[in-house]
Amino acid sequence: MVNVLIADDNFLFAKKLMDYINFNQGVKVVQIALDGEETLRILSKREDIDIFLLDLKMPIYNGIEILEMLPDNKKKKYQNSCIV
């Protein structure tokens, strides 16, 4: 199972994206974050996220700031599995 985090401040868009992703077997959205701070908190606590989809413009921290603020071990883990 591939676990996905969606980070987007537009909940309706994130929900539709989640429904589309969850339609595929073997892939599951495990959480939705609505701002940059929540995204960082989830990524720091959860080790089961394989891919995260990151909105470029979000409240508190934008997508680029989130990528810059990730600890080195998370940057390495997600270097090929973050979609902005």
Side-chain angles (χ1 to χ4, degrees):
M1 178 69 63
V2 175
N3 294 319
V4 178
L5 165 66
I6 297 174
D8 197 306
D9 60 327
N10 183 332
F11 181 75
L12 293 176
F13 175 77
K15 173 76 170 91
K16 287 204 177 275
L17 185 58
M18 179 183 74
D19 292 342
Y20 179 76
I21 290 169
N22 286 344
F23 184 75
N24 298 292
Q25 290 185 349
V27 182
K28 179 182 175 186
V29 174
V30 293
Q31 201 155 357
I32 295 174
L34 299 176
D35 62 52
E37 184 175 52
E38 184 179 12
T39 303
L40 286 171
R41 186 172 51 252
I42 292 167
L43 289 172
S44 71
K45 290 183 179 180
R46 293 193 70 151
E47 294 297 324
D48 63 336
I49 295 173
D50 301 304
I51 297 172
F52 67 100
L53 307 175
L54 185 57
D55 187 9
L56 191 57
K57 294 183 180 179
M58 288 191 297
I60 304 177
Y61 303 119
N62 66 41
I64 301 299
E65 291 170 326
I66 291 169
L67 292 174
E68 291 172 347
M69 296 172 74
L70 285 175
D72 287 340
N73 64 326
K74 295 290 183 174
K75 285 181 185 177
K76 189 171 189 165
K77 177 180 178 179
Y78 294 118
Q79 69 184 355
N80 296 317
S81 58
C82 172
I83 300 168
V84 180

